[in-house]
Amino acid sequence: MLTTGALRAHLLAARLAGPVATSREASLRSYRLFAARDPRVLLGLDPDRAWRETDLLRLMADRCGVSDDPEHTLGPDVIDPDRTVAALDAFASRLAAAAAARAPVLLGTGHPHRLLDFYAALAAALSSAGCPVLTPAQGRRVDITTRFGVRRHQLDYVRGVALVREAGASEDGGAPGAHTHSPLPVRAALAAVAEGDGPVPALVVGDHGWVCGAGQLGIETIGLADTDDPAVFVGEAEGQVSVAVPIDDAVRADYYRPLTRYVLNRACLSR
């Protein structure tokens, strides 16, 4: 079993926490856009209150450990590894509760290149514990606005984890899926559930729009978020998101394996 100390050391060594690759400039830009309610950074969340940039900076300092100094504008951003460990413990607790109840779960990611294996391991463990791992709206078209304009995507599932592919792309082509922040995929999945395509998920696990989009619709959600994803932490602060884990969400996929072991052990889901 991976100890808390060993996990903390790994977080720092892999730059999952501590000084991370996400720049301070990128984080501050996201806070400015969120304060202006730019849909690109809201991730499907409709905040209950107005959030100023200073409010967001204080929140992110509290939840992630970033500097709360508005004059600090350059260099790498920072995540407190102790906050990451504490959030992973809470994340594991929610997984354990879902497993004990054999609750239906939906897992989805906007970071398939990095996080697919992490979520797939959770899906397998939850399925083994008796949880229905849902796959609603398989193959449904989802049109997502990107920096290149509106692009047609298709909702797909890989090892129990939802993702989107650009129209015409396939797993055989070597691409595990498209990177997206959009809440439209989870909305499509939940619309299919409303139409009778499987039970309503008791828990949604994921990132970006999967977390905020489902949380905004009143479904319990837990997920990972970087320092430039303030919507997930606002959702946690306002009650739409149950657990937000502060972590760099774009490092090498194999660097998340120790997190997988730690979470599954803490949730008593290791096989």
Side-chain angles (χ1 to χ4, degrees), residues 39-40 43 109-112 140-156 162-167 177-189 208-210:
R40 291 174 296 176
L43 310 182
T109 182
H111 266 298
R140 181 166 293 193
R141 171 178 166 175
V142 183
D143 293 333
I144 298 175
T145 301
T146 72
R147 58 182 173 172
F148 306 109
V150 176
R151 293 288 186 268
R152 182 179 299 179
H153 292 74
Q154 186 176 40
L155 186 60
D156 198 4
L163 49 82
V164 292
R165 302 184 193 281
E166 287 202 48
H179 173 236
T180 181
H181 287 210
S182 175
L184 296 179
V186 75
R187 289 176 184 168
H208 291 170
W210 287 93

Side-chain angles (χ1 to χ4, degrees), residues 56 64 105 165 212 223 234 239 271:
L56 292 164
C64 298
V105 295
R165 302 184 193 281
C212 291
V234 169
R271 290 182 286 178

